[in-house]
Each structure stands twice: as C-alpha cells, then as structure tokens.
Amino acid sequence: QFKYDADTGSLTVAMATFSEVAVVFDTDNVWSGSYDADTEFGGSGTEADPYLVSNGEQLAFAVSGAAGSGKYYKLVDNIKLNDTTKENWKSTAKVWPWNGNIRFKGTFDGDGHTIDGLYLGNGNVQPNNGLFAYVEDSVIKNIIFTNAYVNSTATHGIAIVTGFPVTKTSFSKIYIEETCEIYAPNAKGVAGLA
C-alpha cells in the first residue's frame, strides 16, 4: 500500500519497494480511442473546483483545450489508454489523436495518478506531439507515465508529456517509468522543445 502526498511530492510505501508497487487499472475501462465534444466532468473547472478526469475520453477532451483557457483539471483515477497487459499490445494500440494544432492553456494536476499506454507510434507522428501537443501559460504536475510508446521520424517536438511548451509553462513531479519507450531523433521525456 502507498500514499502519495501531492504537496510535498513524497511517496510513502508500506511493506514494498517502489519497484514492487503495482498500479491497479480497470482493464474493462480502456480508452475507446475517441472523445465526445459533449464530455461531462464533475467539477466546474475552477481552481477550487477543478474538472475531475476519471477516464480516457475525459482525458482526451481535457488535453484538447476545447473547454477553453484557464481551466483546472484533476485526475481522480489511473487511466489506461491501451491495454498494455496484452502481448504485442502495440500492434492493435489506439493512437493518441492530438497534434501541433491543439493548444492547452490551463492547469492539469495528475494528483499522483498513472497514465498507462500512451501510444504515439508508427513512425509518422508529426512534430509537436505528446500527451499534450502545445501547452501555453500552463501548469502540468503530479503525473506518472507507464508503458508509453513514442515512435517518430520528426526531428523536433516529440515527447511523452508535450511536444511544444510555448510560454510560461511549468512542469513538476512528472514521473516517466522505465517501461516507457521513445524512438525519435532528439526526443525528450517531458517536453520536446523545452
């Protein structure tokens, strides 16, 4: 059992080392590969009452920036974008849809939760891509990434978190586990053009 303190960034683990802690995912609740423009969240998107993100469809909508600038989002559950427990999962993986045309301007707090199975594969991923494409005037924090796979021939702007942090963006307590793979010239883990 473990406890994550988002204020201090400390992880307290009882009876196990960090490498032995298993993150639990609901394999019946894997991202469908799309999002609905009418996606509903708990919360109102303010700092005191952030939008609550609990599944892949809500995550896809949140990072699209479609809700507008200056909104606050908080992960309230671990999210599985692809079922990485299946052998050879990359051959049937759903590709994360966002590219450099999508800008996120807001605060995204992972609250110590894990995003598993981000897939930006096939080698044709365009520059300025990651979980977030562009981020501007934003705060991205407290997220753990596992089993992310990024494969691109693009020579810049490729990363797991964001391809292009434009201005005044801060990142804190972002963890990219060793199960993540990046194959791209000049690729980064957190920000492609930092």
Side-chain angles (χ1 to χ4, degrees):
Q1 191 174 48
F2 66 92
K3 178 181 177 185
Y4 177 75
D5 183 334
D7 294 328
T8 64
S10 66
L11 181 66
T12 304
V13 181
M15 302 303 292
T17 63
F18 185 72
S19 63
E20 295 170 332
V21 174
V23 177
V24 178
F25 292 96
D26 178 358
T27 56
D28 294 329
N29 192 19
V30 177
W31 175 53
S32 67
S34 64
Y35 84 95
D36 183 346
D38 295 323
T39 296
E40 293 186 19
F41 300 92
S44 61
T46 65
E47 184 173 10
D49 186 32
Y51 288 131
L52 304 177
V53 178
S54 63
N55 60 49
E57 289 74 20
Q58 290 173 335
L59 178 64
F61 184 80
V63 304
S64 75
S69 297
K71 301 296 182 185
Y72 289 78
Y73 300 87
K74 183 177 183 178
L75 277 182
V76 295
D77 204 351
N78 297 320
I79 294 184
K80 188 170 245 340
L81 297 176
N82 283 287
D83 188 355
T84 59
T85 63
K86 293 182 178 179
E87 188 173 335
N88 204 17
W89 69 272
K90 296 175 201 112
S91 65
T92 58
K94 295 174 287 293
V95 178
W96 192 244
W98 306 127
N99 59 43
N101 297 322
I102 304 297
R103 286 184 186 247
F104 178 84
K105 296 180 182 182
T107 297
F108 191 92
D109 182 357
D111 197 36
H113 291 288
T114 298
I115 297 173
D116 183 68
L118 173 68
Y119 183 82
L120 296 167
N122 80 10
N124 294 321
V125 175
Q126 298 301 310
N128 306 328
N129 217 322
L131 179 69
F132 300 85
Y134 279 84
V135 289
E136 183 175 357
D137 300 326
S138 297
V139 174
I140 312 293
K141 61 184 180 178
N142 303 323
I143 310 171
I144 301 166
F145 288 88
T146 58
N147 297 303
Y149 180 81
V150 179
N151 183 2
S152 175
T153 57
T155 58
H156 66 281
I158 299 294
I160 291 174
V161 181
T162 182
F164 198 90
V166 181
T167 59
K168 298 179 185 171
T169 295
S170 70
F171 301 94
S172 64
K173 300 175 187 151
I174 305 291
Y175 301 96
I176 298 174
E177 296 292 325
E178 62 187 31
T179 57
C180 297
E181 302 173 74
I182 304 176
Y183 304 99
N186 304 310
K188 307 285 194 277
V190 175
L193 292 176

